[in-house]
Amino acid sequence: MFANFRRCFIPTYSQLSSLTILRQNLPSFTVCNCNTSSDFRINEFTEKYLSHRKAEFTEKLEILSPFRQSTIPIYRVTNFEGQFIDPNYELDFTSELAIKMYQNMVTLQQMDKILYNSQRQGRISFYLTNTGEEATQIGSAAGIHDDDLMYGQYREAGSLLYRGFSLENFMNQCYGNAKDIGGGKQMPVHYGSVEHHFVTISSTLATQLPQAVGSAYAFKRERNGRIVMAYFGEGASSEGDTHGAMNMASTLKCPIIFFCRNNGYAISTPTTEQYGGDGVAGKAFGYGIHVIRVDGNDLIAVYDATKAARKIAEQNEPVLIEAMTYRLGHHSTSDDSTVYRPSEEVNIWQEKDNPVTRFCTFLRNKGWWSDEEDMAYRQKIQEEIMQVFLCAEKVSKPNILTMFDDVYKEMPKNLQEQRDELIQHLNNYSEYYPIKDFEGT
Amino acid sequence: MEITRYVMKSLTNLGKIFSTRCVSGIAFVPSQPDPSFGETSKMNLCQAINNAMDIAMESDSSTCLFGEDVAFGGVFRCTVGLQEKYGKDRVFNTPICEQGIAGFGIGLAVCGSTAIAEIQFADYIFPAFDQIVNEAAKYRYRSGNLFNCGKLTIRATWGAVGHGGLYHSQSPEAYFTHAPGLKVVVPRGPIQAKGLLLACIRNENPCIFFEPKLLYRAAVEDVPVGDYETELGQAEVVKEGKNVTIVSWGTQLHVALDAAQMVEKEIGVSCEVIDLRTILPWDIDTVAESVYKTGHLIVTHEAPITSGFAAEISAKVQERCFLHLEAPISRVCGWDTPFPHIFEPFYLPTKWRVIESIKKLIDFQH
C-alpha cells in the first residue's frame, strides 16, 4: 500500500517533457490467444506473475498450514563414529586436504582458547570463539574457490584461517597494534583481508548480505567466474537486510551462496523466539532461491553441499545453505550463557556431537591420522600461537594521528584542523594520556 | 538603520502585489554557463541529470544505475533513454527495498564498479540509513583502507514541491552531515547539477546527491553539453554584496536571491548570497570571508530549524568570526513540525521571512 501511494506521485503526462520517448519505452506485450477467460488468466499468472511456475485454480477452500508441509531434510554423510552412513558414498577430497582441514580446525580451537583466556586476563578487550562451528566454517571455505569473495558476520575466523590468513594477522587485529592491517580501528575479531578476498567484518548484523549481492552482481557483469559467499547467523536472518538481499539476489540473478550458521541461539534468544517457520532454509522457496540444509557438524557434508551449491551459483542462480550446528561457547566474552541455557545442554552437545572430534575419528578410521600425530600437532600449534600472541602483545599501538586517516580518501580541512587541535592539546596535557603505548607522534 | 524602518511599510505593500507568486512557487534565477566549457544546450534539471549520467555511463563501462522504476525512465524521467542505450544489465529496476538498494550499491562499489543508486524520494531514504551511516560512511575507515565504497553515489529527489505533504517534501541533509565519511551535495540548477553529479559519481568517497524536485522542470539553463565537473567542497558566491551574507542551498537559494534582490532594490541593503552546494564537508572559508566583510549572517533552509545544518554553520561562523559579527546570526528555516500538506505556504521559510530577518539584522541594536 505504501508503495502504491508513492506511485501516485508519478507526474501527469502533461508534466512529462517528452511523451514520445515514453511510448517508445513500452515493452512489447505478448498476450496469449486463449479461448476462455480462465485460460487467459492462468496463462498470465503463470508467465508474468509467477515466473513460469505453473499456476492452477482450485475450487477446494483450503488455507495451507505451515505445519503440514514437509520440513527440509538435513543432509549428512558420516555418523558420529566417523563412518559413512551410505556405504556407496565416494569421498570427494584427498587425504592432504582432509588433514589440512583438520589441522585448521585444531588451530582454530587452540587460538580460541588462548585468546578467550587472554580476554579473561584483560589483555585484549573482547573476543568471540568459534567453538562447535569449526566444521561449518572450514568445510564451506574448502568447498568454494580461494578467490571467491567472502563476506562474514564475525564467527567465521575458520574460513579466513583456511585461506591462509596468518596467526600474526589474527593477533595483531585483536591487539589493534601498529601491525594490524586494519589500522587498529575496530574491535577484536573484526578481521578483513584483500589478499584473502575476505571483506572486513563490521558489527552491524546482516548489513553484509545486500552488499554481497551487489558484489556478486559486479562479478556477473565482469564474467570473471567468481562467486560470493555470504555468511550469517540464524539471528541475523531476521534483519530486514537479509530479506532485501535474498529478494535482490533472486530477481537480479546473482552468483552468490548465502551460508547460514544456525547454531540455536542469538546471544540468549533461542530459535523458537527467532522464527516460526521451517528454520532459515524454509524461507528460500519464498524467494525463489535454491536451498539445502546440512549437518553443520559433519565437515564432509558441509564441504559437499558447498561445492554443489557453488556449481549452481556460478550459473547466476543464488543458493541458500543452512548449516545446523550448536554454539558450544558463550556468545562472546561479554556473555555468560549459563544464565539462559543449562550447562548440561552444552555438555551433551560437546560429548555427543563435537565436529572436531567427529572429523578426527573419521581421519583415524581412514588411517590418515593417529593419536600421536594429533598430540604432536596440538602441542606444536599451541606453542606457535603462544609465541605469536606474545609478540603481538609487545608491538606498540599505531601512531595516534592515524585516527584521522581514511575517513575520506583525502583528509578534508576540518579534519586537518581537528588533528592539529589534538596535537596541540597533547603537547599541553600529555601526562593524562596513554601516549607511551602508541608509536611516536 | 532609519531607512529600513521607513521602507518596511512599502515592502508590506509589495507583499500584496507578489503574494500570489510567492504561494505558487519560487522565482528561479538561471546561472550562466562557464564559457570555457564550450557548446551549450537548453536543459531543465531533469535533462541535465540525465545528461550527466549518460556521460558517466559512456565514459566508464562499470557504471550501473538502479533503483525503483528507473528502467522505464524513472517517475521523474531522469533516467529516460538510458536503458535502451546501455542495456538492461547496466540500467535496471530493483525490488522496492531501500536498504537493499543502498547495500547493493555498496557491494558493487566494493568490487570496483561505479554505482549510481536512486532512492525515489529523500523521504524514503531512512530505511537505508543504517547502510549509509554505519556501512558506506565507515567502510574505508574501519578496514584501514583495505576496502572502500568510494564509487557509490546515491541520488534522491529532495525538498518541497508545493503539495508533497509529509513524505514527498523532506530535506534530510542534516541527518547525514553527522556521519563522517559521507559527502552530501545539493545543486541549485541544471548547470550545477550536471557538474556536481559528475563530480560525485567520480569522487572516491560515497556521495549523497539530493535533487530539488521543484526545479526538475521549472529550472532551465544553457547547460554545457560536454563532460565537466564542479569541484565538491566549494561554496559559490552567487551574488556579491556588502551588508548581509545569506547562505543557502538547493531551491531555497533562489528564495534567498529573490529576497536579496528585493531588499537591495527597495531599501538599498546589499546582500551577498552564497550557495553552499556541498553540505558535507562544507566550505567554511568562503562563508567566513563573506561574514568578515558584511558582519551579518543569515542561514536559510527548508528543513526544520532544530539541529538543522544552519545550526552547524552558525556555531562555526560564530567561532571563526566572533569579532566581526554585528548582530546575532539568524536562521530562517522550516518550523519544528513535520512537513504539512495544506499549510505548506506557512511552513516554508518564504522570501518574506527572509526579508523580515534581513531587516531585523540591519536594525539590531547593541
Side-chain angles (χ1 to χ4, degrees):
Chain A
M1 188 189 149
F2 207 56
N4 285 336
F5 194 77
R6 244 187 274 184
R7 276 144 205 266
C8 296
F9 217 81
I10 296 175
T12 57
Y13 274 63
S14 61
Q15 284 174 282
L16 298 176
S17 52
S18 170
L19 244 173
T20 45
I21 297 178
L22 181 71
R23 291 234 170 95
Q24 279 164 10
N25 283 351
L26 291 177
S28 51
F29 287 111
T30 48
V31 179
C32 88
N33 302 313
C34 305
N35 294 329
T36 68
S37 150
S38 286
D39 287 350
F40 162 73
R41 294 184 65 215
I42 280 298
N43 201 64
E44 287 286 292
F45 291 147
T46 298
E47 281 182 14
K48 292 180 189 160
Y49 290 47
L50 300 169
S51 308
H52 299 279
R53 289 178 189 83
K54 180 72 184 145
E56 280 175 3
F57 284 118
T58 177
E59 286 69 44
K60 184 179 161 200
L61 172 60
E62 183 189 20
I63 292 173
L64 300 176
S65 161
F67 306 108
R68 294 222 185 110
Q69 313 299 316
S70 60
T71 302
I72 296 170
I74 305 161
Y75 171 70
R76 63 175 181 176
V77 174
T78 62
N79 60 20
F80 192 60
E81 281 71 45
Q83 292 148 341
F84 296 134
I85 295 162
D86 173 1
N88 298 320
Y89 177 84
E90 279 179 43
L91 191 64
D92 196 25
F93 51 75
T94 61
S95 61
E96 286 77 26
L97 180 58
I99 290 166
K100 177 188 170 182
M101 290 192 287
Y102 177 70
Q103 289 181 339
N104 277 172
M105 289 205 284
V106 172
T107 307
L108 189 59
Q109 276 189 328
Q110 300 292 330
M111 184 170 81
D112 275 351
K113 218 177 276 174
I114 290 167
L115 286 173
Y116 180 83
N117 289 332
S118 83
Q119 194 282 334
R120 283 293 178 253
Q121 295 160 8
R123 294 161 90 164
I124 60 172
S125 62
F126 177 80
Y127 195 69
L128 275 156
T129 64
N130 303 279
T131 324
E133 299 180 47
E134 296 89 345
T136 62
Q137 299 175 13
I138 287 153
S140 59
I144 58 172
H145 299 174
D146 281 349
D147 69 343
D148 289 336
L149 187 66
M150 281 181 178
Y151 278 86
Q153 179 167 303
Y154 47 57
R155 213 182 296 282
E156 294 90 7
S159 307
L160 192 50
L161 183 73
Y162 176 84
R163 289 192 166 181
F165 195 67
S166 69
L167 292 171
E168 283 84 359
N169 276 338
F170 281 111
M171 304 293 162
N172 292 337
Q173 199 282 330
C174 288
Y175 271 106
N177 65 27
K179 289 182 175 170
D180 170 20
I181 56 173
K185 303 268 178 41
Q186 290 209 86
M187 283 173 78
V189 313
H190 291 56
Y191 312 115
S193 169
V194 174
E195 187 192 342
H196 302 96
H197 310 289
F198 192 99
V199 180
T200 299
I201 301 286
S202 72
S203 309
T204 40
L205 284 184
T207 48
Q208 76 277 17
L209 299 180
Q211 295 171 14
V213 177
S215 294
Y217 191 85
F219 288 174
K220 175 170 121 172
R221 281 204 64 229
E222 285 169 27
R223 296 177 203 276
N224 59 17
R226 296 169 71 190
I227 67 137
V228 176
M229 171 75 110
Y231 292 102
F232 61 111
E234 92 286 349
S237 78
S238 298
E239 291 280 4
D241 276 334
T242 310
H243 160 70
M246 291 194 181
N247 206 23
M248 288 183 91
S250 172
T251 56
L252 296 168
K253 300 185 172 40
C254 297
I256 185 168
I257 299 174
F258 294 107
F259 193 103
C260 177
R261 301 173 290 94
N262 189 337
N263 64 17
Y265 288 93
I267 305 187
S268 73
T269 307
T271 57
T272 49
E273 293 166 24
Q274 200 64 247
Y275 50 71
D278 178 16
V280 178
K283 301 177 189 197
F285 294 128
Y287 293 111
I289 63 185
H290 299 261
V291 65
I292 183 170
R293 176 175 278 151
V294 61
D295 181 346
N297 290 0
D298 183 347
L299 185 139
I300 303 171
V302 173
Y303 174 85
D304 285 354
T306 314
K307 206 169 166 186
R310 197 194 180 286
K311 284 209 175 76
I312 296 168
E314 69 184 9
Q315 307 298 314
N316 300 324
E317 303 264 350
V319 189
L320 169 62
I321 301 176
E322 182 183 25
M324 309 302 277
T325 179
Y326 183 80
R327 196 192 77 210
L328 278 174
H330 300 298
H331 163 70
S332 73
T333 48
S334 313
D335 170 58
D336 172 11
S337 69
T338 60
V339 175
Y340 50 81
R341 65 179 183 187
S343 47
E344 301 84 66
E345 181 185 298
V346 179
N347 294 340
I348 203 154
W349 273 94
Q350 172 78 27
E351 182 198 323
K352 290 215 181 294
D353 197 20
N354 184 302
V356 184
T357 318
R358 188 162 163 188
F359 195 58
C360 184
T361 313
F362 166 80
L363 291 180
R364 277 200 304 244
N365 290 350
K366 274 271 183 191
W368 291 348
W369 195 247
S370 67
D371 286 349
E372 294 72 41
E373 279 171 305
D374 200 52
M375 203 116 76
Y377 182 77
R378 281 175 186 274
Q379 181 78 30
K380 173 182 151 274
I381 199 67
Q382 193 177 346
E383 281 167 17
E384 204 178 309
I385 294 167
M386 269 319 287
Q387 209 172 354
V388 174
F389 171 80
L390 293 170
C391 275
E393 196 168 39
K394 287 194 196 86
V395 179
S396 60
K397 306 288 183 230
N399 184 312
I400 295 162
L401 299 182
T402 62
M403 180 171 79
F404 295 96
D405 293 346
D406 300 324
V407 178
Y408 294 89
K409 175 83 195 284
E410 69 288 347
M411 191 180 292
K413 223 170 156 193
N414 62 320
L415 273 182
Q416 293 173 27
E417 285 169 10
Q418 289 166 31
R419 187 184 57 180
D420 294 345
E421 195 179 322
L422 178 64
I423 296 173
Q424 216 42 56
H425 174 67
L426 290 178
N427 283 343
N428 298 333
Y429 290 85
S430 63
E431 65 266 40
Y432 304 106
Y433 293 90
I435 270 191
K436 59 180 190 315
D437 301 342
F438 290 78
E439 270 189 359
T441 50
Chain B
M1 300 306 128
E2 281 301 306
I3 341 162
T4 53
R5 283 206 186 97
Y6 160 73
V7 179
M8 192 161 183
K9 274 181 196 156
S10 63
L11 273 178
T12 313
N13 293 335
L14 254 174
K16 281 173 192 151
I17 303 164
F18 285 97
S19 60
T20 34
R21 188 169 140 220
C22 176
V23 173
S24 67
I26 56 121
F28 176 74
V29 184
S31 302
Q32 293 311 307
D34 182 338
S36 71
F37 290 158
E39 196 196 331
T40 64
S41 168
K42 284 235 178 304
M43 292 184 205
N44 63 25
L45 186 67
C46 262
Q47 291 163 327
I49 284 163
N50 183 288
N51 184 234
M53 293 193 286
D54 192 356
I55 290 171
M57 299 200 84
E58 181 92 56
S59 62
D60 171 5
S61 66
S62 80
T63 310
C64 289
L65 171 54
F66 51 93
E68 296 160 15
D69 304 299
V70 301
F72 88 115
V75 300
F76 285 100
R77 316 311 294 151
C78 286
T79 54
V80 163
L82 297 177
Q83 191 184 59
E84 291 76 70
K85 192 163 174 189
Y86 297 104
K88 289 181 174 169
D89 69 319
R90 294 185 62 191
V91 180
F92 51 91
N93 288 339
T94 64
I96 299 180
C97 181
E98 285 76 13
Q99 61 199 102
I101 293 169
F104 182 89
I106 293 169
L108 272 177
V110 164
C111 287
S113 294
T114 298
I116 308 174
E118 178 179 307
I119 301 292
Q120 209 165 69
F121 287 86
D123 311 66
Y124 306 123
I125 205 168
F126 298 111
F129 200 67
D130 184 41
Q131 284 286 354
I132 296 170
V133 168
N134 274 328
E135 297 292 312
K138 299 171 172 59
Y139 232 95
R140 191 187 295 276
Y141 188 77
R142 74 186 186 203
S143 69
N145 203 21
L146 294 177
F147 296 92
N148 74 80
C149 60
K151 292 189 161 194
L152 170 68
T153 300
I154 298 176
R155 297 171 42 239
T157 64
W158 172 94
V161 69
H163 55 282
L166 279 77
Y167 306 110
H168 301 88
S169 309
Q170 290 180 57
S171 305
E173 63 272 20
Y175 291 100
F176 295 98
T177 56
H178 205 56
L182 296 178
K183 296 205 171 176
V184 181
V185 177
V186 187
R188 71 169 185 278
I191 296 172
Q192 308 297 319
K194 180 177 169 182
L196 288 168
L197 180 54
L198 275 167
C200 282
I201 292 169
R202 289 158 179 172
N203 191 275
E204 290 183 83
N205 300 287
C207 297
I208 303 181
F209 188 78
F210 288 123
E211 301 166 4
K213 64 175 99 60
L214 188 64
L215 304 181
Y216 271 145
R217 281 169 197 78
V220 180
E221 286 173 347
D222 294 315
V223 181
V225 293
D227 188 345
Y228 67 97
E229 291 177 30
T230 304
E231 198 183 336
L232 302 183
Q234 197 81 56
E236 183 190 351
V237 178
V238 177
K239 178 191 168 306
E240 291 195 1
K242 299 192 297 285
N243 306 124
V244 178
T245 302
I246 310 180
V247 173
S248 193
W249 51 91
T251 324
Q252 189 65 12
L253 195 277
H254 301 283
V255 176
L257 259 180
D258 200 1
Q261 265 142 12
M262 188 170 280
V263 292
E264 187 147 319
K265 201 167 145 208
E266 300 299 327
I267 56 174
V269 174
S270 155
C271 296
E272 181 142 304
V273 180
I274 297 176
D275 182 2
L276 202 57
R277 301 197 291 198
T278 301
I279 319 299
L280 184 76
W282 67 288
D283 181 4
I284 170 74
D285 292 341
T286 300
V287 176
E289 202 158 307
S290 176
V291 176
Y292 289 146
K293 182 172 70 179
T294 63
H296 297 94
L297 175 64
I298 294 172
V299 188
T300 176
H301 59 57
E302 286 179 10
I305 188 162
T306 300
S307 298
F309 198 67
E312 175 61 31
I313 296 174
S314 307
K316 196 75 194 167
V317 168
Q318 180 269 138
E319 262 174 49
R320 187 76 86 83
C321 310
F322 187 69
L323 294 176
H324 297 263
L325 284 169
E326 290 167 25
I329 296 167
S330 168
R331 293 179 288 158
V332 183
C333 304
W335 309 118
D336 286 341
T337 68
F339 198 109
H341 186 221
I342 54 165
F343 305 115
E344 179 167 326
F346 306 97
Y347 169 86
L348 283 173
T350 58
K351 171 172 65 173
W352 307 107
R353 282 183 53 205
V354 177
I355 288 170
E356 188 181 20
S357 164
I358 294 169
K359 291 197 296 171
K360 276 186 185 160
L361 274 199
I362 295 294
D363 285 351
F364 181 77
Q365 303 289 328
H366 291 274

